[in-house]
Amino acid sequence: MTDGRQDGGQRQYGPLGDTLVIIPTYNEAENIKPVVERVRAGAPDAHVLVADDNSPDGTGKLADELAAADDHVHVLHRKGKEGLGAAYLAGFQWGIEHGYDVLVEMDADGSHQPEELPRLLTALKGADLVLGSRWLPGGRVVNWPKYREVLSRGGSTYSRLLLDVPIRDVTGGFRAFRRQTLEGLGLDEVASQGYCFQVDLARRAVEAGYHVVEVPITFVERERGDSKMSRDIVVEALWRVTAWGVGSRLDKLRGKKSG
């Protein structure tokens, strides 16, 4: 576990309260039922919100059937495919409006192991944000081609160094937030999508002084359905991270000169 504590260890945290696991979907008909069932088994007290972007393959209908059979499962139907970031922002808003205290990001394709969710929630008892990390000792990836690992490790290292954030896996998407943390991140100003969205929230949390903790996870490459990774997602992440890093350094230089 790595600890990005910036409060000197003095802050006291209250109980976690009610948890909502947000699962964005687009054409995940083959995966949604087993993933939701695994979440419900791994964290029986947690609720699940499937945020479906009007999937042509009927994922939304399957999610409705799960919700009809289980009062811990909910569905947010969105008009169309707008990207991962927009789906999570909508899910966060829904969760906050419905009074949840902890909001969790989790992929629909089985790459995040629902059985590891209790580990994140346990760590959140003493943190503002917990990140599931593939690149900590004890973390690993399964069935990934080498180029994907190189791309992910390189992206996290580039982001960590350029943005000066003490996080090993900046692009990972298995995360648990306290509601108050999300409310303090300026979500109305977030416009990034894809993996860049994850970098954006992580840097905002660090810059705001929140206590960020990483715990090791096992990431398993999807077995069914198509990956949403694309060249556009990689390009967006590269230019946004570069712009944030350069902008931050310029601001510091200006501050030194004016001081």
Side-chain angles (χ1 to χ4, degrees):
M1 180 185 295
T2 62
D3 188 333
R5 181 181 292 274
Q6 299 184 24
D7 59 8
Q10 301 303 310
R11 179 171 174 183
Q12 299 297 313
Y13 292 89
L16 293 181
D18 295 329
T19 297
L20 179 69
V21 180
I22 302 167
I23 305 178
T25 56
Y26 185 78
N27 285 349
E28 295 288 357
E30 296 178 285
N31 295 311
I32 191 59
K33 187 172 187 290
V35 165
V36 169
E37 289 176 345
R38 288 172 64 190
V39 173
R40 295 289 293 116
D45 293 333
H47 285 232
V48 176
L49 176 67
V50 179
D52 185 65
D53 278 6
N54 197 23
S55 299
D57 71 347
T59 301
K61 182 176 183 299
L62 292 174
D64 284 336
E65 293 172 0
L66 293 172
D70 185 343
D71 64 3
H72 277 51
V73 179
H74 316 276
V75 186
L76 175 61
H77 291 282
R78 290 163 39 78
K79 293 182 180 179
K81 188 177 181 183
E82 298 178 349
L84 184 70
Y88 272 130
L89 290 173
F92 291 155
Q93 181 179 3
W94 189 96
I96 291 170
E97 289 176 351
H98 286 78
Y100 290 93
D101 305 293
V102 174
L103 297 101
V104 177
E105 297 181 4
M106 180 183 287
D107 285 352
D109 59 12
S111 56
H112 299 146
Q113 306 303 290
E115 295 77 15
E116 295 184 320
L117 176 58
R119 183 185 305 168
L120 272 69
L121 296 178
T122 296
L124 192 65
K125 292 178 181 179
D128 297 301
L129 164 61
V130 175
L131 312 179
S133 176
R134 297 159 291 185
W135 313 130
L136 282 182
R140 65 190 184 112
V141 295
V142 177
N143 297 330
W144 252 16
K146 193 63 180 178
Y147 81 90
R148 283 290 302 276
E149 182 175 345
V150 170
L151 180 65
S152 181
R153 281 184 180 272
S156 278
T157 300
Y158 182 76
S159 299
R160 181 174 73 250
L161 295 176
L162 195 62
L163 301 176
D164 193 25
V165 293
I167 297 172
R168 296 287 295 276
D169 192 349
V170 189
T171 62
F174 194 9
R175 304 178 167 192
F177 297 82
R178 288 182 179 265
R179 184 189 71 246
Q180 295 90 341
T181 305
L182 285 172
E183 291 174 335
L185 293 185
L187 295 181
D188 291 343
E189 302 169 3
V190 174
S192 48
Q193 297 295 327
Y195 294 94
C196 189
F197 175 79
Q198 308 296 8
V199 178
D200 197 358
L201 293 196
R203 76 175 181 99
R204 287 171 181 266
V206 171
E207 289 174 356
Y210 287 115
H211 177 199
V212 181
V213 166
E214 292 184 272
V215 296
I217 61 167
T218 296
F219 182 98
V220 180
E221 175 68 346
R222 67 160 65 231
E223 295 180 354
R224 299 178 296 271
D226 297 323
S227 172
K228 306 305 188 294
M229 171 67 80
S230 70
R231 181 177 177 275
D232 289 344
I233 289 174
V234 174
V235 170
E236 183 211 14
L238 180 61
W239 79 258
R240 282 191 183 272
V241 169
T242 302
W244 292 330
V246 171
S248 176
R249 279 163 171 72
L250 288 175
D251 288 343
K252 289 178 181 178
L253 286 173
R254 293 189 189 102
K256 289 181 179 179
K257 290 179 180 179
S258 62

